[in-house]
Amino acid sequence: MENKLDGNAAAGTLQEIFPFEMTLVQATCTGCGTTNAIGATAVYMHGMGTVIRCPFCDTVLIRVVHAKGRYWLDMRGVRVLQISAEA
Ligand SMILES: [Zn+2]
């Protein structure tokens, strides 16, 4: 069972970890090299956590699991994360 959502849905989870406006953070995909705002990615939420995929090639960019008081962040699909430090 999984629900496909837009990237804004993942921002809430990432916001618990990063102190930045996560919908505006840009991730460069290791699969196809495109750079997408987190808010424009494809997100799948299911029992195991949140999976953020590239909207172009479907590579898994980020996987987040929140369990047993810890966050598990798998970012192997992200080549570069661009974070604006301006509010
Ligand atoms: Zn891609």
Side-chain angles (χ1 to χ4, degrees):
M1 290 293 283
E2 63 179 20
N3 298 312
K4 184 171 190 273
L5 302 164
D6 77 10
N8 295 310
T13 300
L14 292 173
Q15 210 76 68
E16 296 169 17
I17 304 169
F18 296 101
F20 306 104
E21 175 47 56
M22 293 307 291
T23 54
L24 302 178
V25 166
Q26 300 198 13
T28 302
C29 174
T30 56
C32 68
T34 60
T35 300
N36 303 286
I38 294 295
T41 57
V43 175
Y44 299 82
M45 304 260 217
H46 48 73
M48 292 300 290
T50 301
V51 176
I52 302 171
R53 289 182 178 272
C54 175
F56 291 97
C57 73
D58 220 32
T59 290
V60 174
L61 298 173
I62 302 172
R63 201 177 319 219
V64 186
V65 173
H66 184 193
K68 298 178 181 173
R70 290 172 183 248
Y71 287 99
W72 307 80
L73 199 57
D74 176 348
M75 298 184 60
R76 77 183 78 174
V78 177
R79 188 181 299 162
V80 177
L81 204 59
Q82 290 180 52
I83 300 169
S84 172
E86 294 170 11

